[in-house]
PDB file of all heavy atoms in Angstrom:
ATOM      1  N   ASN P 207      11.933  -3.122  23.040  1.00  0.00           N
ATOM      2  CA  ASN P 207      11.815  -3.645  24.340  1.00  0.00           C
ATOM      3  C   ASN P 207      12.571  -2.820  25.419  1.00  0.00           C
ATOM      4  O   ASN P 207      12.414  -3.117  26.511  1.00  0.00           O
ATOM      5  CB  ASN P 207      12.337  -5.088  24.334  1.00  0.00           C
ATOM      6  CG  ASN P 207      11.457  -6.072  23.575  1.00  0.00           C
ATOM      7  OD1 ASN P 207      10.217  -5.746  23.558  1.00  0.00           O
ATOM      8  ND2 ASN P 207      11.993  -7.067  23.126  1.00  0.00           N
ATOM      9  N   ARG P 208      13.361  -1.836  25.000  1.00  0.00           N
ATOM     10  CA  ARG P 208      13.998  -0.994  25.963  1.00  0.00           C
ATOM     11  C   ARG P 208      13.092   0.144  26.197  1.00  0.00           C
ATOM     12  O   ARG P 208      12.747   0.972  25.389  1.00  0.00           O
ATOM     13  CB  ARG P 208      15.319  -0.504  25.278  1.00  0.00           C
ATOM     14  CG  ARG P 208      16.346  -1.504  25.207  1.00  0.00           C
ATOM     15  CD  ARG P 208      17.645  -0.937  24.515  1.00  0.00           C
ATOM     16  NE  ARG P 208      17.925   0.301  25.081  1.00  0.00           N
ATOM     17  CZ  ARG P 208      18.763   1.202  24.577  1.00  0.00           C
ATOM     18  NH1 ARG P 208      19.388   0.946  23.323  1.00  0.00           N
ATOM     19  NH2 ARG P 208      19.109   2.303  25.150  1.00  0.00           N
ATOM     20  N   GLN P 209      12.756   0.340  27.507  1.00  0.00           N
ATOM     21  CA  GLN P 209      11.881   1.336  27.946  1.00  0.00           C
ATOM     22  C   GLN P 209      12.527   2.793  27.846  1.00  0.00           C
ATOM     23  O   GLN P 209      11.820   3.795  27.632  1.00  0.00           O
ATOM     24  CB  GLN P 209      11.423   1.135  29.396  1.00  0.00           C
ATOM     25  CG  GLN P 209      10.509  -0.120  29.524  1.00  0.00           C
ATOM     26  CD  GLN P 209      10.049  -0.355  30.976  1.00  0.00           C
ATOM     27  OE1 GLN P 209      10.430   0.401  31.858  1.00  0.00           O
ATOM     28  NE2 GLN P 209       9.247  -1.265  31.132  1.00  0.00           N
ATOM     29  N   ASP P 210      13.905   2.728  27.912  1.00  0.00           N
ATOM     30  CA  ASP P 210      14.579   4.018  27.850  1.00  0.00           C
ATOM     31  C   ASP P 210      14.953   4.414  26.431  1.00  0.00           C
ATOM     32  O   ASP P 210      15.667   5.382  26.202  1.00  0.00           O
ATOM     33  CB  ASP P 210      15.828   4.020  28.747  1.00  0.00           C
ATOM     34  CG  ASP P 210      16.729   2.877  28.251  1.00  0.00           C
ATOM     35  OD1 ASP P 210      16.309   1.882  27.655  1.00  0.00           O
ATOM     36  OD2 ASP P 210      17.981   2.983  28.593  1.00  0.00           O
ATOM     37  N   ALA P 211      14.481   3.614  25.489  1.00  0.00           N
ATOM     38  CA  ALA P 211      14.892   3.893  24.073  1.00  0.00           C
ATOM     39  C   ALA P 211      14.309   5.240  23.641  1.00  0.00           C
ATOM     40  O   ALA P 211      13.206   5.587  23.899  1.00  0.00           O
ATOM     41  CB  ALA P 211      14.435   2.796  23.090  1.00  0.00           C
ATOM     42  N   LEU P 212      15.056   5.964  22.940  1.00  0.00           N
ATOM     43  CA  LEU P 212      14.670   7.264  22.377  1.00  0.00           C
ATOM     44  C   LEU P 212      13.680   7.083  21.318  1.00  0.00           C
ATOM     45  O   LEU P 212      13.709   6.107  20.566  1.00  0.00           O
ATOM     46  CB  LEU P 212      15.843   8.081  21.964  1.00  0.00           C
ATOM     47  CG  LEU P 212      16.822   8.537  23.014  1.00  0.00           C
ATOM     48  CD1 LEU P 212      18.054   9.285  22.331  1.00  0.00           C
ATOM     49  CD2 LEU P 212      16.187   9.371  24.086  1.00  0.00           C
ATOM     50  N   LYS P 213      12.779   8.047  21.108  1.00  0.00           N
ATOM     51  CA  LYS P 213      11.734   7.974  20.066  1.00  0.00           C
ATOM     52  C   LYS P 213      12.399   7.944  18.696  1.00  0.00           C
ATOM     53  O   LYS P 213      11.956   7.161  17.773  1.00  0.00           O
ATOM     54  CB  LYS P 213      10.724   9.248  20.082  1.00  0.00           C
ATOM     55  CG  LYS P 213       9.846   9.056  21.305  1.00  0.00           C
ATOM     56  CD  LYS P 213       8.828  10.265  21.129  1.00  0.00           C
ATOM     57  CE  LYS P 213       7.822  10.121  22.420  1.00  0.00           C
ATOM     58  NZ  LYS P 213       6.883  11.317  22.333  1.00  0.00           N
ATOM     59  N   ILE P 214      13.484   8.660  18.467  1.00  0.00           N
ATOM     60  CA  ILE P 214      14.207   8.734  17.224  1.00  0.00           C
ATOM     61  C   ILE P 214      14.692   7.254  16.834  1.00  0.00           C
ATOM     62  O   ILE P 214      14.662   6.909  15.716  1.00  0.00           O
ATOM     63  CB  ILE P 214      15.250   9.708  17.176  1.00  0.00           C
ATOM     64  CG1 ILE P 214      15.869   9.839  15.816  1.00  0.00           C
ATOM     65  CG2 ILE P 214      16.342   9.395  18.282  1.00  0.00           C
ATOM     66  CD1 ILE P 214      14.936  10.391  14.791  1.00  0.00           C
ATOM     67  N   LYS P 215      15.149   6.482  17.873  1.00  0.00           N
ATOM     68  CA  LYS P 215      15.704   5.173  17.613  1.00  0.00           C
ATOM     69  C   LYS P 215      14.493   4.254  17.209  1.00  0.00           C
ATOM     70  O   LYS P 215      14.737   3.350  16.382  1.00  0.00           O
ATOM     71  CB  LYS P 215      16.385   4.604  18.948  1.00  0.00           C
ATOM     72  CG  LYS P 215      17.711   5.330  19.129  1.00  0.00           C
ATOM     73  CD  LYS P 215      18.420   4.671  20.293  1.00  0.00           C
ATOM     74  CE  LYS P 215      19.769   5.321  20.535  1.00  0.00           C
ATOM     75  NZ  LYS P 215      20.486   4.652  21.614  1.00  0.00           N
ATOM     76  N   LYS P 216      13.340   4.461  17.842  1.00  0.00           N
ATOM     77  CA  LYS P 216      12.229   3.677  17.551  1.00  0.00           C
ATOM     78  C   LYS P 216      11.800   3.936  16.046  1.00  0.00           C
ATOM     79  O   LYS P 216      11.452   2.984  15.318  1.00  0.00           O
ATOM     80  CB  LYS P 216      11.043   3.859  18.384  1.00  0.00           C
ATOM     81  CG  LYS P 216      11.240   3.332  19.777  1.00  0.00           C
ATOM     82  CD  LYS P 216       9.953   3.324  20.617  1.00  0.00           C
ATOM     83  CE  LYS P 216      10.139   2.726  22.042  1.00  0.00           C
ATOM     84  NZ  LYS P 216       8.893   2.822  22.763  1.00  0.00           N
ATOM     85  N   VAL P 217      11.810   5.206  15.633  1.00  0.00           N
ATOM     86  CA  VAL P 217      11.443   5.509  14.305  1.00  0.00           C
ATOM     87  C   VAL P 217      12.368   4.923  13.353  1.00  0.00           C
ATOM     88  O   VAL P 217      11.982   4.411  12.261  1.00  0.00           O
ATOM     89  CB  VAL P 217      11.391   7.098  14.147  1.00  0.00           C
ATOM     90  CG1 VAL P 217      11.195   7.457  12.714  1.00  0.00           C
ATOM     91  CG2 VAL P 217      10.315   7.742  14.931  1.00  0.00           C
ATOM     92  N   ILE P 218      13.642   5.036  13.630  1.00  0.00           N
ATOM     93  CA  ILE P 218      14.548   4.440  12.716  1.00  0.00           C
ATOM     94  C   ILE P 218      14.485   2.918  12.625  1.00  0.00           C
ATOM     95  O   ILE P 218      14.493   2.306  11.532  1.00  0.00           O
ATOM     96  CB  ILE P 218      16.124   4.769  13.143  1.00  0.00           C
ATOM     97  CG1 ILE P 218      16.359   6.310  13.068  1.00  0.00           C
ATOM     98  CG2 ILE P 218      17.097   3.973  12.368  1.00  0.00           C
ATOM     99  CD1 ILE P 218      17.671   6.798  13.638  1.00  0.00           C
ATOM    100  N   ALA P 219      14.303   2.273  13.855  1.00  0.00           N
ATOM    101  CA  ALA P 219      14.089   0.853  13.825  1.00  0.00           C
ATOM    102  C   ALA P 219      12.866   0.446  12.973  1.00  0.00           C
ATOM    103  O   ALA P 219      12.899  -0.601  12.337  1.00  0.00           O
ATOM    104  CB  ALA P 219      14.072   0.363  15.320  1.00  0.00           C
ATOM    105  N   ASN P 220      11.743   1.181  13.235  1.00  0.00           N
ATOM    106  CA  ASN P 220      10.558   0.820  12.543  1.00  0.00           C
ATOM    107  C   ASN P 220      10.639   1.022  11.013  1.00  0.00           C
ATOM    108  O   ASN P 220      10.170   0.273  10.182  1.00  0.00           O
ATOM    109  CB  ASN P 220       9.317   1.608  13.079  1.00  0.00           C
ATOM    110  CG  ASN P 220       8.968   1.166  14.479  1.00  0.00           C
ATOM    111  OD1 ASN P 220       9.136   0.015  14.875  1.00  0.00           O
ATOM    112  ND2 ASN P 220       8.441   2.082  15.272  1.00  0.00           N
ATOM    113  N   THR P 221      11.338   2.153  10.637  1.00  0.00           N
ATOM    114  CA  THR P 221      11.515   2.390   9.223  1.00  0.00           C
ATOM    115  C   THR P 221      12.419   1.270   8.577  1.00  0.00           C
ATOM    116  O   THR P 221      12.089   0.777   7.481  1.00  0.00           O
ATOM    117  CB  THR P 221      12.273   3.717   9.020  1.00  0.00           C
ATOM    118  OG1 THR P 221      11.465   4.755   9.569  1.00  0.00           O
ATOM    119  CG2 THR P 221      12.401   3.997   7.539  1.00  0.00           C
ATOM    120  N   TRP P 222      13.430   0.924   9.246  1.00  0.00           N
ATOM    121  CA  TRP P 222      14.272  -0.202   8.728  1.00  0.00           C
ATOM    122  C   TRP P 222      13.556  -1.490   8.673  1.00  0.00           C
ATOM    123  O   TRP P 222      13.666  -2.204   7.751  1.00  0.00           O
ATOM    124  CB  TRP P 222      15.566  -0.328   9.688  1.00  0.00           C
ATOM    125  CG  TRP P 222      16.468  -1.428   9.376  1.00  0.00           C
ATOM    126  CD1 TRP P 222      16.784  -2.415  10.211  1.00  0.00           C
ATOM    127  CD2 TRP P 222      17.158  -1.660   8.152  1.00  0.00           C
ATOM    128  NE1 TRP P 222      17.684  -3.262   9.606  1.00  0.00           N
ATOM    129  CE2 TRP P 222      17.934  -2.890   8.311  1.00  0.00           C
ATOM    130  CE3 TRP P 222      17.160  -1.038   6.965  1.00  0.00           C
ATOM    131  CZ2 TRP P 222      18.713  -3.378   7.268  1.00  0.00           C
ATOM    132  CZ3 TRP P 222      17.934  -1.486   5.872  1.00  0.00           C
ATOM    133  CH2 TRP P 222      18.673  -2.689   6.083  1.00  0.00           C
ATOM    134  N   TYR P 223      12.833  -1.802   9.708  1.00  0.00           N
ATOM    135  CA  TYR P 223      11.851  -3.019   9.635  1.00  0.00           C
ATOM    136  C   TYR P 223      10.988  -3.023   8.466  1.00  0.00           C
ATOM    137  O   TYR P 223      10.781  -3.945   7.787  1.00  0.00           O
ATOM    138  CB  TYR P 223      11.056  -3.098  10.966  1.00  0.00           C
ATOM    139  CG  TYR P 223      10.289  -4.338  11.199  1.00  0.00           C
ATOM    140  CD1 TYR P 223      10.852  -5.491  11.625  1.00  0.00           C
ATOM    141  CD2 TYR P 223       8.919  -4.395  10.710  1.00  0.00           C
ATOM    142  CE1 TYR P 223      10.034  -6.639  11.795  1.00  0.00           C
ATOM    143  CE2 TYR P 223       8.191  -5.454  10.864  1.00  0.00           C
ATOM    144  CZ  TYR P 223       8.751  -6.621  11.372  1.00  0.00           C
ATOM    145  OH  TYR P 223       7.948  -7.721  11.497  1.00  0.00           O
TER     146      TYR P 223
END
Side-chain angles (χ1 to χ4, degrees):
N207 288 335
R208 289 177 49 195
Q209 295 182 355
D210 59 336
L212 297 176
K213 288 185 178 180
I214 186 65
K215 288 186 177 181
K216 286 189 177 182
V217 171
I218 293 174
N220 289 332
T221 303
W222 175 237
Y223 184 86

